[in-house]
Amino acid sequence: MIDILVNEHKNIKVILSSVEHISREIANGGEVDVELYRRIIDFIRNYADKYHHRKEEKYLFNEMAKDSNAEGPVQGMLLEHDMGRKYIKHLELALNDYEKGNKDAKVRIIAYGIAYKDLLADHIFKEDNVIYRFALRVIPEDVAKGLEKEFVNIENDEDNKAIREKYVSLVNELKDRFNISE
Ligand SMILES: [Fe+2]
Ligand SMILES: [Fe+2]
């Protein structure tokens, strides 16, 4: 169960590195590749958020929060998911402005891109190193087994296979383009 989530983090981290590369290019005077950035936003919304965060929010965190000791940390994680959604909304608005010819929107494209990257990189680090281990301690074994089964069903669902294929291919494309080894 946890290995599936950690593996999804690896794909998300490639997207975060790409956002950093793109932001650096723009800061160095480059133009914004709006089409590519929109594909990245699509990844963030549909893979990082709907596909990955949904597993956390609906299943793992939901079960975890039934333990009063875990309630606070879970709230913190949910808050960060929401902050991420807000940054991406602002990033999209800045891209729309840029596309309409407002070159000053570059400042906000860089700012929200980097804000999202920093927020999510730190969030993923906490989940990989603290939160998921905490989850395994507080979720009863039979419930954890049920979650594991649920996650495997999600993985095997045909629609989800298509989603994975689409977004992993973007991850591979960006790995090549920006020379990302992770
Ligand atoms: Fe999360
Ligand atoms: Fe996560």
Side-chain angles (χ1 to χ4, degrees):
M1 161 176 71
I2 298 301
D3 51 324
I4 291 175
L5 296 172
V6 170
N7 201 41
E8 288 167 359
H9 281 169
K10 286 185 186 150
N11 289 329
I12 297 170
K13 283 197 275 187
V14 171
I15 297 297
L16 298 179
S17 293
S18 305
V19 167
E20 175 135 21
H21 279 281
I22 289 170
S23 303
R24 216 178 291 142
E25 283 176 6
I26 302 168
N28 287 330
E31 288 304 310
V32 182
D33 185 340
V34 176
E35 195 257 327
L36 177 68
Y37 224 149
R38 289 203 193 279
R39 286 170 67 208
I40 287 178
I41 290 178
D42 175 55
F43 174 100
I44 290 168
R45 286 198 172 132
N46 289 300
Y47 184 89
D49 220 21
K50 278 204 191 109
Y51 190 70
H52 174 76
H53 290 162
R54 188 163 176 273
K55 283 199 195 99
E56 294 176 344
E57 292 180 0
K58 191 172 171 204
Y59 301 100
L60 191 76
F61 292 168
N62 201 23
E63 290 303 332
M64 210 180 151
K66 290 178 183 167
D67 183 299
S68 59
N69 290 320
E71 243 183 302
V74 164
Q75 283 306 321
M77 292 296 105
L78 296 179
L79 192 76
E80 288 177 354
H81 287 179
D82 272 346
M83 279 168 72
R85 287 172 191 130
K86 233 176 254 174
Y87 290 162
I88 293 304
K89 185 75 221 158
H90 284 292
L91 175 61
E92 187 178 47
L93 292 174
L95 278 174
N96 293 346
D97 281 353
Y98 178 84
E99 216 171 22
K100 283 183 209 142
N102 178 4
K103 298 281 178 197
D104 291 343
K106 276 180 169 182
V107 176
R108 281 177 293 129
I109 293 172
I110 295 170
Y112 286 112
I114 293 297
Y116 182 78
K117 185 247 150 195
D118 282 354
L119 171 77
L120 221 67
D122 181 61
H123 180 85
I124 285 174
F125 184 84
K126 278 187 274 189
E127 287 180 343
D128 283 349
N129 294 289
V130 183
I131 300 290
Y132 291 166
R133 286 178 201 167
F134 194 4
L136 291 177
R137 281 206 308 275
V138 297
I139 295 173
E141 213 173 306
D142 55 322
V143 177
K145 275 193 186 134
L147 287 182
E148 172 79 43
K149 226 189 228 168
E150 195 63 55
F151 278 20
V152 170
N153 286 342
I154 293 172
E155 290 294 287
N156 291 336
D157 177 89
E158 285 303 320
D159 290 346
N160 288 335
K161 275 187 189 167
I163 288 176
R164 268 205 313 280
E165 226 165 83
K166 174 180 174 187
Y167 292 111
V168 168
S169 99
L170 177 65
V171 165
N172 289 331
E173 181 187 326
L174 292 170
K175 265 186 182 170
D176 282 351
R177 179 164 176 159
F178 296 115
N179 222 344
I180 299 166
S181 51
E182 159 68 304

